[in-house]
Each structure stands twice: as C-alpha cells, then as structure tokens.
Amino acid sequence: MKLEELIQKRFVSTAALAERLTTYNGVPAVFSPEAPGDEQDGWGGETQYPMVTYNYDLQANEERNSAGSLSVSIFCQNTTDVFPEDIAPIVKECLRDVILLPEGGTPYCFTWARTDAFTMGEDAGKAGVVIGCEVRFDILEYPSMETSDPDPVMAVDKYIKELYPKCLVMGYDRMEEITEASADQPVVYCRLISSEKQEETNTVAWMDGRIAVHVLCPESTVRLKMAADIANHLSLDGEVIMLDYSPMFIKRLQVNYKSDYLKEGQVFITGHYGLLRYKAKPHVLMAAHGNYS
C-alpha cells in the first residue's frame, strides 16, 4: 500500500475514532484530500459530520528535522454531541508510536506538532455552523542504515536483538505495513550519525562511528529502563562483535533520557572499529606433481 492508503487504513481501523464519525458508503468518513460533496448518494441522506480529512507533504524540513508534514482536519457541527476537541486526542493517539511501511518505501513515524481550532462561517453561535480543528504532525523517516561490511549499525542491531529477543529492530526484523510499538514489543531503530577515520596502519584503517539508538514505546518508564539497560550492557561488555567477527570497541557512551526519542534517540554510541586493507588470501598449491602410473 501507499503511505496515503496506510494512513486511511489506520484511521478507519481505529474503533475509538470510527465510532465517533459518520459514514460514507458504510465506511467511516475519512477522506484525502477532500470529502465528497453533500449531494453524493454515499451519505445516504445523513449528515456529513463528524468527518476527517487529511493531506500530507513529503518535503523535508531541516529546521524541524522532519521528512514532511501531515495535516488532519476534523469537521463537526455545533448541533451534535461530538466536538472536535473530543476527536483530536484520539487522532493523536491513533498515530502515536505507529510505524507505517509503504510498499517499496521506507518506514515512517509521526510526531504531533500542533492543534489549531477553526470555524467555517461568520456567526459561530448560529446553529448548524461547522466547527473543527486541524491537527498537524511531523513525518519522520527511518531509512535503512545498512552500509558496508563491517557494518557498525547492523552489529548494534544484532546486539540489541540478542539482548531483547521480543523487541522489533527496524532494519533487522521483518516489518509489517502497520506496526504499533507497545510495552510488550518496543521498537528499536539504530542510525549512523557520523563516521570519521582516527588512525591508520599498514593493515588497518581505524574508524570512529557515532550511532544513535531510538527506543520507541508509548510508556516512558519502559523506554527509560530499556535505554538504561542497553547502555549498562554496552558499558560492561566494552565491545560489540561485528558481522565479520571483528570487535567494535565502545569508545564513548552517552544516554540522554530527556531527548526526543523519535527525532534524536536516547543512547549514543561511539564505536571504534577497523577496516582491513587486505583480505586474507587462500593457500595456493605450489609445485604440484601428478603421477598417473
């Protein structure tokens, strides 16, 4: 599915949201980018409200450290029992710590940015006036950080997966179209922030790679405990074995419990690892003689 279809699927399949919306052709009234006109037969002669429309823009915003933005508009009438203020928290919760994986694309996550109320019409106190609010999210992209062998990110992915077999590690485990992080199954994402050559010898080029570890979970206590536990294990082990069985030494380790776990991460690792200049050569059979007698 495309990202637009996955957002639609997530909204429609959320029972708390669907039960507060009217229906169009028997389906909860969620549309992109605009709703059908009130003359359409799909409304079944019923009111159009409450309903939700959404639109997104995948244009990177470096200032907000995001890959784009999602705008969700909630429309109600002031004569109904359901108000935009009732639906907005459900929309926020619906996308909280949820990872969407479009077909052929990279995983996306959403973080709430702001909510603005609005009124359609001049007389807000008049019966039947449409009121609503716009809930805006920053879209965060979590691309695969797999580089080349030896790969420091894949090594940390494997290390955390062995430490927490029940967690889901992006880039290591198979992802579904819609994944919801939870206390029972937190989601971990590791990314390479930077790499720098520190020294070199005749056989090895020594690199320092800085890696950020994101622990996604709606419960803050689980996030904090898991981040602290990962850092403690790394401190005690002192190294992470890479996929070619060479060690990556933990040169520096930092944990920030107040950082934005979606945008920045909580655990920051500086790993010291080597790149071999020469590959091991197989033994060559020299001076072979055959005897066919």
Side-chain angles (χ1 to χ4, degrees):
M1 288 186 175
K2 298 180 180 178
L3 180 59
E4 176 182 342
E5 296 171 331
L6 290 176
I7 296 173
Q8 171 94 11
K9 181 179 179 180
R10 178 63 181 174
F11 283 152
V12 171
S13 62
T14 302
L17 177 61
E19 67 186 12
R20 286 169 171 79
L21 302 178
T22 188
T23 59
Y24 183 81
N25 285 332
V27 180
V30 179
F31 308 100
S32 176
E34 296 180 354
D38 56 3
E39 73 283 355
Q40 298 296 321
D41 295 335
W43 298 110
E46 302 293 336
T47 177
Q48 291 178 277
Y49 309 100
M51 69 174 176
V52 167
T53 65
Y54 66 93
N55 194 17
Y56 69 91
D57 178 18
L58 289 180
Q59 184 173 357
N61 187 331
E62 295 183 1
E63 292 184 0
R64 296 194 59 84
N65 193 25
S66 67
S69 61
L70 169 68
S71 175
V72 181
S73 298
I74 303 167
F75 299 91
C76 299
Q77 279 185 320
N78 60 358
T79 54
T80 62
D81 296 332
V82 180
F83 293 92
E85 294 79 8
D86 302 324
I87 301 177
I90 300 174
V91 170
K92 290 169 58 178
E93 189 66 25
C94 181
L95 295 178
R96 184 185 180 192
D97 294 323
V98 171
I99 302 101
L100 303 184
L101 179 60
E103 184 178 358
T106 57
Y108 292 99
C109 198
F110 306 87
T111 177
W112 174 77
R114 57 184 291 180
T115 301
D116 298 315
F118 62 83
T119 301
M120 297 177 64
E122 298 180 358
D123 190 357
K126 186 178 179 181
V129 171
V130 176
I131 56 177
C133 65
E134 182 184 38
V135 186
R136 297 188 66 87
F137 298 86
D138 288 332
I139 301 177
L140 307 179
E141 184 180 17
Y142 292 149
S144 173
M145 297 301 294
E146 183 177 354
T147 56
S148 59
D149 192 30
D151 190 334
V153 173
M154 285 297 293
V156 176
D157 285 344
K158 183 174 181 291
Y159 180 89
I160 294 176
K161 184 63 178 180
E162 292 175 350
L163 196 61
Y164 290 95
K166 292 184 179 180
C167 79
L168 185 66
V169 180
M170 280 193 274
Y172 189 86
D173 292 316
R174 181 181 178 275
M175 298 281 294
E176 300 293 339
E177 288 183 334
I178 301 178
T179 302
E180 184 175 355
S182 64
D184 295 329
Q185 188 184 47
V187 177
V188 176
Y189 174 66
C190 301
R191 61 184 175 90
L192 185 64
I193 301 175
S194 63
S195 59
E196 180 182 1
K197 185 169 73 173
Q198 288 298 309
E199 56 181 320
E200 57 182 313
T201 65
N202 184 47
T203 56
V204 181
W206 290 98
M207 306 290 293
D208 276 0
R210 182 168 165 79
I211 301 167
V213 179
H214 302 245
V215 180
L216 280 64
C217 178
E219 296 188 19
S220 59
T221 54
V222 176
R223 291 198 308 267
L224 296 179
K225 288 181 180 179
M226 191 168 173
D229 192 51
I230 292 172
N232 290 343
H233 276 84
L234 287 169
S235 298
L236 293 173
D237 292 339
E239 64 181 20
V240 174
I241 303 302
M242 305 184 78
L243 301 186
D244 64 350
Y245 302 105
S246 64
M248 178 175 70
F249 302 104
I250 306 302
K251 189 174 182 179
R252 186 181 180 189
L253 186 62
Q254 179 186 4
V255 185
N256 188 346
Y257 299 110
K258 295 183 179 180
S259 63
D260 188 328
Y261 66 95
L262 291 173
K263 292 185 177 182
E264 300 171 9
Q266 302 103 311
V267 183
F268 303 92
I269 307 164
T270 300
H272 190 64
Y273 61 97
L275 302 177
L276 293 177
R277 292 185 180 277
Y278 308 103
K279 299 296 182 181
K281 293 184 178 180
H283 293 289
V284 179
L285 186 63
M286 304 294 291
H289 300 281
N291 187 354
Y292 300 100
S293 59

